[in-house]
Structure formats: C-alpha cells, structure tokens
Amino acid sequence: MLKALGSHYPRRLSFQSSCPRILSIYNGSQYRRPSTALVARKPFLSTSFSSSANAEKDASTTSTSTNRPIPPSHDWDDNPDLSISAFNQLPSSNFGVNQHMIINNEFKEALRQILWQFRAPIRYAFAYGSGVFPQTALAPSVSSSTLHPHPSPAISTVQGGEGKMIDFIFGVSYTQHWHSLNLQQHRDHYSAVASLGSYAVSRIQDNWGAGVYFNPYITVNGTLIKYGVVNLDTLCRDLSEWDTLYLAGRLQKPVKILRDDPRVRLANQVNLLSAVRTALLLLPDKFSELELYGAIGGISYLGDPRMALPTENQNKVTNIVKNQLPNFRRLYAPLIENLPNVSFKDPRCSQPNWADDPNTNASLAQDMDPVKRGNMVRRLPKAFRQKLYFQYQSKFQIPQLEFNKMLEETSDEDPTRIKRRQGGRFEQRVAGDEHQALKQEVGAAIKKTIRWPSASQSIKGIVTGGASKTYRYLKEKSEKYQEGQRKEKEKVEKEKEKERKA
C-alpha cells in the first residue's frame, strides 16, 4: 500500500489488519522512517478493488518522462514538494492512484471528447457532481431528457435518462492567456463581462471569491455542461493549505479525473489525508464507514451559506455517501489502513470483494491517545490549522505574546524537508478537549474557512454567468430542494405506517 500512496508513516511493529483485501493493495506495508533513497515496492494490485488496472492506466496516461533525478524520499504529507513538474518525481510510480475512480469506459471517453473541444490548453481536469456520480438510485434507461440537446448514448445511459448537467473543473497554467484563447473560440460561453477582455476576466477569476471562473449552461458535443476555470497555483494552494476549501472540498468526494498533473496529484493526496484527520477529530473512538465518509463529505458543506437557503437538498451529503460508498472506500480506505491511529475493526472486511459491496458498512476504531491526536492537529493544513489555533487561543485565554511565540515555533517552513511536524502541549490540549467542544471548535474553524469564499464566489457567479443563467440555476436548485423535502416527507410517512402496522 505504501508504494502507491507514498504514505511514509511509522508502522506498528505487529500489525494485524482486519481488512486484508485493502492491505493487499501493496506489499511491504511495514515501513520505517524513510531513508535517503526510495525503496522499490510492488504497485497497486488489482486484487483489492475491481478494475484497478483501469485506474492505474488512467493514472499513468498523462505521465511524462524526464531526466531530472527523483528527489530523496521524505514525509510527503508534512513537506510536499509542489515544485515538481513530472510524474516520476512523485514519491512513487503509482502514487495517488486511489484518486482515479472507475467509471464506464464509453462514458469516460464521452467526457474526454468534451475536453477536446477546447483549444486553450487544459493541464488538469475533472468531472464531478450528480451528472457523473448519481446521488440517488437510478432506474436503467437509454432515453434522454430535453436537458441535453444531443447527448452521446453513453451519457444518456449512465444518467438513466434523467439528463443532468455535467460539471467540470479545468486547471490552467496562465489564466489570462487561457481566457484569451477561449474567448476567441467560444465567446458565446461568456456573459457580457467578457466584453471587457481577457485581462478583466482573469482578474475577476483570480481576485474574487475562491479563484474560480464558471461558465454555466454551455452545450458541447450535444451535452449541457458547466465548467469552472482555476489557476493551478490556486488549486494546489487550496488543496495543501485549505485557504478556502472551495475546490479542496469538491476533491474530497469522488470525482473523475480526466487529465492529471503531478503537482495536483501530490497536493490532492495531502488534501485527502487532511480530510481523514479532520473527520477523526469530529468522531468518537468507534464509528462506521458511513459516519466517517459522511463527516468527510460534510466538511465542504458545513460553512456553505447555500445550505441555509431553500436551494439545496439537506440530505445531500447522506445521499452522496450512500450511493457512492465503494468510491469513497476506494478513495480513503488505503489511507486509513496506513494511518497508525485508526483501523478497520470488522470481520466482514475479510470477505472476498467486500470493498466493492455497497451494502457493507464496516466498523472502525481510532486511538484517542492525546499525543497521537495532538500530532494529528499539528499536521492539519496550514491555513485551516491557524484558524483552529485562534479558536482555542480565545477559549484557553492564551496571552497574545505567548500565542505569537507558539505560532512561530509551529511554522511549516522547513527548507530541508526532513522535519516532521509533532504536536506539542498546546495541540495535545486541543485534541484532549471534550468531544462535543472539540467538534464545535473544529466546525467553527471550517465555517470561517468556507463562509466568505463560498458567499463571494456565489455573488461572482451572478456577474460571470449572467442574470438569466443565474435565475435558471437558482430555480433548478430550488426544485431539487423541494423534491428532497417531498421524498423525506414520504419516507417519514412510510416509517410511521410500518410502525402502525407493527
């Protein structure tokens, strides 16, 4: 497992996993502190997850060769080297393969064909949302709705004939240059603000909200899509530091990566590991997979002001997790198995092909030792961790001078890239706080991280999308919200009916 994930954690001397199907992903999982050379290990094996070979192929399709030597091994999650430019500079050859979800091949090709309709260079791209990963059970159908003018049969089949707009994120190297080229080819994708030119568009993108410029309700290859453009530097910073959690939150849920980039893959692996650590702080000592993935999936919605409006289904996180459980497991189970303070504790995990079973809700347990949890606090993303520290400075009434000194001592700057972050007395005191109080403070830090970027990004959407498209978007969201309320009401009534009959 270590080889594909590059997870350089001290392992327990005697580790008996209750989930050998996940542990068999990699050989050589007992790993000591890294030396100055990378240790050769076997790649991600297809025995743990179905069609793993396809994901490995997806993960390697954009790999580029280079003569630049591979840097010395180090704790990649503590000191990620985001200056890399090639895949063979990642900690291992199959590093981050867990990020690549398995989807229908024809559907994947249809999504990739959409990307080829853009001449402006797209370095990194992923498709996400209910148009790619259903949030409810769909009845098989090949009929298409009126939403997509002329969709490919693969898209109609996967969406069950419901017809849902497909969301994309495009990572680009040079914002203004990209919009300049795209305006020449697709001026009709933009609102009136594009008449000000590519410089104005790029300034709006980079300096307002979360650094994303969305063009919604665009028809490409007969399919209705929405695409957001983000600079790769902005994306990597959010993934590694959680300064807005806007895109980091999206990538904490299953997405289909269509074009990959080594820097983003490394930064996103840090993001996924950070999501696990944050969720563990929110959970008790024993919990289920649904509770864990629900906590992770709920991070990005916790401070989103849209969730307080009648435009979002309040059961959205539950629906996502329940209907995408195998994908969440593929994304996070290898990371969980490689952390020293949490493990699967369920005999069902020993059954063949359990990882692909959506009906298995495995049990887990975490070590509540304050030293280990203090290390977890210390290894949270920089921008988010500072917000949590300020929360507890106020709660513990720490004098400002003492607090400033502590912040200096916990600086992430480490030019040698060999210093591993360890929690001190303050972090242990934070981690040892009463569970509900800790949950409240972590939640407050998440809300402070998300609230303003998400709100300002929504306001920006009115400008970049135009009034008519904004109205259409809000109307559809409101309809989804009402539909969710109706289904929830029907569910409650059915349960009451069962109780009366019983």
Side-chain angles (χ1 to χ4, degrees):
M1 180 184 305
L2 258 297
K3 179 56 182 170
L5 291 174
S7 301
H8 299 166
Y9 297 101
R11 299 295 298 172
R12 286 160 284 193
L13 294 178
S14 178
F15 179 76
Q16 299 294 328
S17 172
S18 61
C19 295
R21 296 289 290 182
I22 287 181
L23 199 56
S24 67
I25 294 174
Y26 307 102
N27 287 340
S29 60
Q30 295 216 356
Y31 196 80
R32 298 175 182 175
R33 289 284 300 195
S35 62
T36 57
L38 285 173
V39 180
R41 300 187 187 279
K42 293 185 178 181
F44 192 103
L45 303 178
S46 60
T47 56
S48 293
F49 293 94
S50 64
S51 304
S52 294
N54 290 336
E56 191 171 332
K57 182 179 179 181
D58 282 352
S60 62
T61 52
T62 52
S63 298
T64 56
S65 61
T66 179
N67 293 325
R68 180 177 168 182
I70 297 176
S73 176
H74 60 273
D75 293 323
W76 59 265
D77 62 301
D78 269 346
N79 299 290
D81 182 6
L82 298 181
S83 66
I84 63 174
S85 58
F87 285 91
N88 65 1
Q89 294 171 301
L90 289 168
S92 61
S93 60
N94 289 315
F95 181 90
V97 71
N98 57 305
Q99 298 174 23
H100 285 263
M101 299 295 106
I102 307 300
I103 64 172
N104 176 275
N105 282 330
E106 289 76 16
F107 183 47
K108 177 177 66 178
E109 184 59 29
L111 296 178
R112 284 179 170 167
Q113 287 299 319
I114 290 174
L115 299 186
W116 285 112
Q117 303 309 308
F118 293 84
R119 290 198 293 266
I122 300 170
R123 289 283 303 278
Y124 180 82
F126 66 87
Y128 66 100
S130 59
V132 182
F133 298 98
Q135 296 176 9
T136 56
L138 296 176
S141 173
V142 295
S143 62
S144 60
S145 73
T146 57
L147 183 71
H148 300 302
H150 302 288
S152 73
I155 291 176
S156 297
T157 301
V158 168
Q159 294 192 346
E162 288 192 2
K164 292 187 176 183
M165 184 166 62
I166 298 178
D167 299 331
F168 293 86
I169 292 293
F170 299 161
V172 305
S173 298
Y174 305 100
T175 306
Q176 184 178 350
H177 176 65
W178 195 92
H179 284 294
S180 177
L181 294 175
N182 201 47
L183 280 167
Q184 293 177 28
Q185 183 187 8
H186 298 302
R187 174 60 183 86
D188 57 315
H189 289 188
Y190 294 78
S191 66
V193 73
S195 60
L196 299 174
S198 60
Y199 177 80
V201 170
S202 64
R203 293 308 86 181
I204 292 173
Q205 174 183 316
D206 293 333
N207 299 335
W208 193 0
V212 188
Y213 191 104
F214 281 106
N215 282 326
Y217 298 104
I218 306 299
T219 300
V220 180
N221 284 0
T223 304
L224 194 68
I225 71 168
K226 176 181 74 176
Y227 66 91
V229 183
V230 63
N231 188 280
L232 286 178
D233 291 338
T234 302
L235 175 58
C236 289
R237 183 173 61 251
D238 191 33
L239 291 172
S240 60
E241 298 185 13
W242 284 14
D243 57 346
T244 69
L245 265 171
Y246 191 81
L247 292 176
R250 280 161 172 74
L251 282 160
Q252 288 163 5
K253 294 175 278 290
V255 305
K256 181 54 190 175
I257 298 171
L258 302 168
R259 289 186 189 171
D260 209 348
D261 177 86
R263 282 199 303 153
V264 180
R265 192 188 294 188
L266 175 59
N268 192 32
Q269 201 74 342
V270 174
N271 172 46
L272 297 176
L273 189 57
S274 299
V276 174
R277 287 171 171 156
T278 302
L280 291 177
L281 292 174
L282 297 171
L283 292 167
D285 57 338
K286 296 180 180 179
F287 49 91
S288 68
E289 277 190 296
L290 286 178
E291 290 174 317
L292 173 63
Y293 303 144
I296 293 173
I299 288 174
S300 62
Y301 294 113
L302 194 56
D304 193 336
R306 295 174 301 176
M307 296 303 291
L309 301 174
T311 56
E312 290 287 352
N313 187 342
Q314 299 301 304
N315 300 312
K316 188 170 186 175
V317 175
T318 302
N319 292 339
I320 291 173
V321 174
K322 282 187 175 180
N323 288 280
Q324 295 300 322
L325 182 56
N327 284 332
F328 271 94
R329 190 176 287 142
R330 175 178 183 84
L331 198 58
Y332 289 107
L335 289 169
I336 293 166
E337 277 288 339
N338 208 43
L339 282 169
N341 61 322
V342 61
S343 59
F344 286 91
K345 299 289 185 182
D346 199 310
R348 290 175 294 179
C349 296
S350 62
Q351 298 176 2
N353 301 320
W354 81 273
D356 296 317
D357 183 5
N359 297 316
T360 296
N361 180 22
S363 301
L364 299 95
Q366 64 169 317
D367 190 340
M368 303 299 282
D369 175 50
V371 174
K372 292 181 179 179
R373 287 173 67 80
N375 290 339
M376 214 161 50
V377 171
R378 179 67 183 84
R379 293 164 190 167
L380 292 173
K382 181 180 178 180
F384 173 73
R385 186 180 71 243
Q386 288 179 348
K387 291 183 177 65
L388 183 62
Y389 283 2
F390 281 116
Q391 290 285 127
Y392 273 96
Q393 179 204 13
S394 176
K395 180 173 182 176
F396 295 157
Q397 298 182 340
I398 301 174
Q400 190 63 45
L401 289 177
E402 181 182 340
F403 184 71
N404 291 342
K405 182 180 179 181
M406 183 195 70
L407 289 181
E408 283 183 25
E409 293 173 350
T410 58
S411 172
D412 286 348
E413 300 303 323
D414 178 23
T416 63
R417 298 192 178 281
I418 60 173
K419 180 181 177 183
R420 186 161 178 79
R421 301 198 299 266
Q422 300 289 338
R425 286 180 297 177
F426 176 75
E427 286 83 6
Q428 292 171 19
R429 188 179 177 189
V430 169
D433 197 7
E434 190 271 327
H435 177 67
Q436 286 300 322
L438 177 60
K439 187 175 180 180
Q440 182 178 346
E441 297 297 339
V442 171
I446 293 173
K447 290 176 182 178
K448 286 183 178 180
T449 300
I450 295 173
R451 185 180 292 117
W452 172 244
S454 181
S456 55
Q457 185 69 41
S458 298
I459 296 171
K460 182 169 76 172
I462 300 173
V463 176
T464 60
S468 61
K469 289 182 178 179
T470 300
Y471 173 76
R472 179 179 178 181
Y473 174 80
L474 292 174
K475 181 182 177 183
E476 290 180 359
K477 283 289 186 180
S478 179
E479 290 173 352
K480 286 183 180 180
Y481 173 81
Q482 293 173 8
E483 177 68 12
Q485 293 291 94
R486 183 184 64 79
K487 288 182 178 180
E488 184 64 23
K489 185 177 180 181
E490 290 177 355
K491 181 180 178 181
V492 171
E493 289 177 352
K494 287 181 180 179
E495 290 177 353
K496 289 183 178 179
E497 182 66 24
K498 286 182 180 180
E499 290 178 358
R500 282 197 294 268
K501 289 182 178 180

